[in-house]
Amino acid sequence: PPAAAPLRSLQEAERAWRAEWPCLEPLAVPDLALTAALKRAAVYSASLLPIVDATGTAPGMSDHMEWPVDCARDCCHVAESLLFLKPDLVRRHLAFYFHEAIPRAGVGKSYVPSGETRGHSDARLLDLAAYPLWHLWRYWKATGDDEFAASPQVRETVDRILRETLLWRHERTGL
């Protein structure tokens, strides 16, 4: 989110960072190097989920072939790594799928932050369609957030995913 005022010193930057990441303080394992690596990995994961101002969404960014897109296989795992540290950011990532990307561009694709697909053909990959459902279920199990998970817009997108994937058939194999 945009800062209220530019930071003028390293001390201000450190205070701002600590205010953003209090959830990392209790994160510790017996191996101090592993603890440091886990904390760095969490911050890196969060950097891959940029918040889109005024939308309540956070698309994931993964290097997928030619351009950075939100590819469900990659970005769901990135968001999953933050599930217990930054559940609100995970909710924003789910909002990107269920409120923006899938309603705008369809099921089983990769998306740019505007929610549009950049695929040249209808990929219709079952795992890309299934990952948002798995991601939603994991989020709900961890948080119990019925308000989001059972909201009409999310339910409508879940129904769309199920309806569309049931129609997919390969011409030669019938699968």
Side-chain angles (χ1 to χ4, degrees), residues 13-26:
E14 181 182 5
R15 281 193 298 276
W17 190 90
R18 289 192 184 282
E20 178 66 22
W21 287 97
C23 57
L24 288 186
E25 294 304 323

Side-chain angles (χ1 to χ4, degrees), residues 14-71:
E14 181 182 5
R15 281 193 298 276
W17 190 90
R18 289 192 184 282
E20 178 66 22
W21 287 97
C23 57
L24 288 186
E25 294 304 323
L27 182 61
V29 295
D31 183 332
L32 294 179
L34 179 57
T35 294
L38 289 171
K39 290 180 178 184
R40 281 194 306 272
V43 174
Y44 178 70
S45 292
S47 76
L48 297 176
L49 297 169
I51 294 170
V52 179
D53 287 340
T55 65
T57 66
M61 294 289 99
S62 65
D63 182 9
H64 194 265
M65 305 289 284
E66 296 110 18
W67 51 71
V69 295
D70 188 304
C71 177

Side-chain angles (χ1 to χ4, degrees), residues 42-139:
V43 174
Y44 178 70
S45 292
S47 76
L48 297 176
L49 297 169
I51 294 170
V52 179
D53 287 340
T55 65
T57 66
M61 294 289 99
S62 65
D63 182 9
H64 194 265
M65 305 289 284
E66 296 110 18
W67 51 71
V69 295
D70 188 304
C71 177
R73 282 179 289 238
D74 303 331
C75 294
C76 284
H77 290 293
V78 168
E80 177 75 7
S81 72
L82 297 167
L83 186 55
F84 297 104
L85 297 172
K86 294 226 170 239
D88 185 60
L89 186 55
V90 175
R91 180 181 177 156
R92 287 173 177 265
H93 185 241
L94 285 163
F96 171 70
Y97 285 143
F98 289 95
H99 296 174
E100 301 288 335
I102 295 170
R104 280 187 184 183
V107 176
K109 302 179 183 221
S110 293
Y111 311 97
V112 294
S114 66
E116 302 165 273
T117 184
R118 285 293 183 246
H120 294 292
S121 63
D122 189 5
R124 296 173 18 149
L125 298 175
L126 188 56
D127 62 334
L128 287 181
Y131 265 96
L133 298 175
W134 171 79
H135 190 19
L136 177 65
W137 179 80
R138 292 277 299 149
Y139 170 78

